[in-house]
Amino acid sequence: MISILMSVYNENKDILSKSIHSIEVQSFQDWELIIVNDNPKNENVSTFLTAKARTNPKIKLITNKKNIGLVNSLNEAFNISRGDYIARMDADDISLFERLEKQLSFLNSFNLDFVFSNVQSIDEAGQTNKRAVLPEITLVDDQKLRKVLEVSDIAFHPTWLMKKSVMLLLNGYRSIDSAEDYDFVIRALRSNFKLGYQGEVLLQYRYRLDSISRSNGLKQERINKILQQGLLNQKNWEDWSLNQVQNLSINPLEENNLSTILQLGVNFKSSRKTGDMLCLFWKIFLYPKSVSSIIKRILIDRKIQRIFTM
């Protein structure tokens, strides 16, 4: 059985319904979906989830008394999981029909412990970009995969599937704000688990303008730099990194300026409108410090492409 972990906070009910439905109709049917409602004050979503759990016995619902955050909610879901495998799913994404079947086959065929896949992007209006976000080249070579993960977290969180033993040995997620998934991947590599990237698109990933990766862009950039030290086999990295992240200080004005530019960049990438381009360039002109972050992101993308084609 595959236990699929999902946390719900403030997602639109229609989008949430489509996400759950994409699991219900999977070609592989030996699964349980454990949903944690981390926003019990949202009555519409709470009523919908309760009804879902009543009509489908394969859906298990946990309703938190108060908001406890993504990390605690996922760990809570894992604690009641019954499957031999653990998968992740976000409440606003869409798993393709054969996702679970193909990932389980991929994991077993290459004798891996932990796999993740390529994605297509969906915007907030539900429009799908048919192009894959990452290279459509499968990676099971440990050295190549480490090289990619040294520069960027390509392991899209809602595409994960792993043996339960991985989650047990790592003791679930750590409280690493904005980057709990990257932290988990690095700890898995440090523990010598075998990871694999499936180049086939198996999930449609929703890019939201208010996503954590953009609203905390500067913070995430600096946390990632701390976490990447773990791939250099630094001793006592676990304690050191946790301390560094907890004591990280970010200038709110700088964070807000960079977040606005990242959001404008997403707007322009989606619309290709001249007006959106001018807004983006004007904001960069007003906040020139953002240029270094933008250049870093461009160079990271190019480096990933090079490693994949080596």
Side-chain angles (χ1 to χ4, degrees):
M1 179 191 283
I2 299 175
S3 295
I4 305 157
L5 315 183
M6 175 189 286
S7 178
V8 176
Y9 177 63
N10 206 27
E11 285 75 17
N12 175 285
K13 190 177 77 171
D14 292 335
I15 290 174
L16 174 59
S17 177
K18 290 176 182 177
S19 179
I20 294 172
H21 181 70
S22 75
I23 295 298
E24 291 181 300
V25 299
Q26 284 289 300
S27 59
F28 181 90
Q29 278 291 306
D30 189 12
W31 54 263
E32 64 174 357
L33 175 60
I34 305 171
I35 303 176
V36 181
N37 180 3
D38 198 29
N39 186 9
K41 292 182 179 179
N42 188 327
E43 293 183 6
N44 287 335
V45 169
S46 295
T47 301
F48 168 75
L49 290 175
T50 301
K52 263 291 179 188
R54 283 176 182 163
T55 56
N56 190 338
K58 294 166 76 171
I59 296 176
K60 315 297 181 188
L61 177 62
I62 301 171
T63 300
N64 294 334
K65 293 181 180 179
K66 62 178 182 179
N67 173 239
I68 62 173
L70 178 62
V71 166
N72 290 326
S73 293
L74 293 178
N75 285 336
E76 194 174 33
F78 172 68
N79 288 337
I80 69 163
S81 64
R82 298 180 296 123
D84 300 312
Y85 301 92
I86 302 296
R88 270 283 289 120
M89 183 66 186
D90 278 347
D92 56 357
D93 296 330
I94 305 293
S95 284
L96 300 191
F97 175 62
E98 294 182 309
R99 175 202 162 181
L100 296 178
E101 181 182 350
K102 287 186 173 182
Q103 285 193 295
L104 189 58
S105 175
F106 177 62
L107 183 142
N108 290 325
S109 296
F110 289 95
N111 193 27
L112 302 168
D113 301 305
F114 177 5
V115 301
F116 45 92
S117 81
N118 207 341
V119 301
Q120 289 174 332
S121 63
I122 322 174
D123 64 20
E124 290 183 297
Q127 296 298 310
T128 304
N129 186 332
K130 297 299 182 183
R131 292 181 61 187
V133 171
L134 293 168
E136 296 180 84
I137 302 169
T138 290
L139 272 188
V140 291
D141 180 278
D142 183 70
Q143 292 305 311
K144 270 193 177 184
L145 203 50
R146 280 176 175 266
K147 283 182 179 179
V148 174
L149 289 166
E150 279 175 8
V151 295
S152 181
D153 179 15
I154 65 162
F156 282 93
H157 201 177
T159 71
W160 291 9
L161 183 136
M162 70 188 76
K163 294 176 180 175
K164 192 169 191 174
S165 57
V166 179
M167 202 82 168
L168 285 169
L169 190 141
L170 296 181
N171 197 28
Y173 295 90
R174 297 200 301 169
S175 295
I176 302 290
D177 188 30
S178 306
E180 71 289 329
D181 49 345
Y182 197 19
D183 174 70
F184 189 96
V185 169
I186 290 172
R187 288 189 293 129
L189 287 170
R190 285 175 63 87
S191 298
N192 296 315
F193 285 114
K194 295 178 181 178
L195 276 64
Y197 162 74
Q198 203 163 355
E200 182 179 357
V201 170
L202 295 175
L203 181 129
Q204 294 178 335
Y205 183 87
R206 196 173 301 274
Y207 281 87
R208 292 162 52 188
L209 294 180
D210 61 350
S211 71
I212 290 174
S213 61
R214 277 184 287 280
S215 60
N216 293 324
L218 184 60
K219 183 178 183 180
Q220 192 173 61
E221 184 179 291
R222 292 183 182 172
I223 289 175
N224 286 354
K225 192 173 181 180
I226 293 168
L227 296 179
Q228 285 161 358
Q229 295 300 309
L231 292 171
L232 303 177
N233 294 318
Q234 179 179 321
K235 292 181 179 179
N236 303 316
W237 170 83
E238 282 82 1
D239 292 335
W240 174 83
S241 59
L242 200 56
N243 181 264
Q244 289 290 308
V245 170
Q246 289 173 347
N247 291 295
L248 186 65
S249 178
I250 301 293
N251 183 308
L253 181 59
E254 286 187 30
E255 182 69 273
N256 181 65
N257 284 331
L258 181 60
S259 297
T260 300
I261 287 169
L262 291 176
Q263 290 171 2
L264 289 172
V266 171
N267 281 345
F268 172 61
K269 189 174 182 180
S270 174
S271 71
R272 297 293 178 180
K273 292 180 180 178
T274 303
D276 289 338
M277 180 184 69
L278 292 175
C279 286
L280 173 61
F281 286 168
W282 177 246
K283 189 63 180 179
I284 292 172
F285 173 76
L286 294 176
Y287 181 59
K289 281 186 178 181
S290 67
V291 173
S292 62
S293 290
I294 293 168
I295 291 173
K296 279 180 189 175
R297 283 168 168 77
I298 293 170
L299 292 177
I300 284 171
D301 286 345
R302 289 181 179 176
K303 189 169 185 179
I304 289 171
Q305 295 287 341
R306 284 201 304 273
I307 295 170
F308 266 98
T309 54
M310 282 171 56

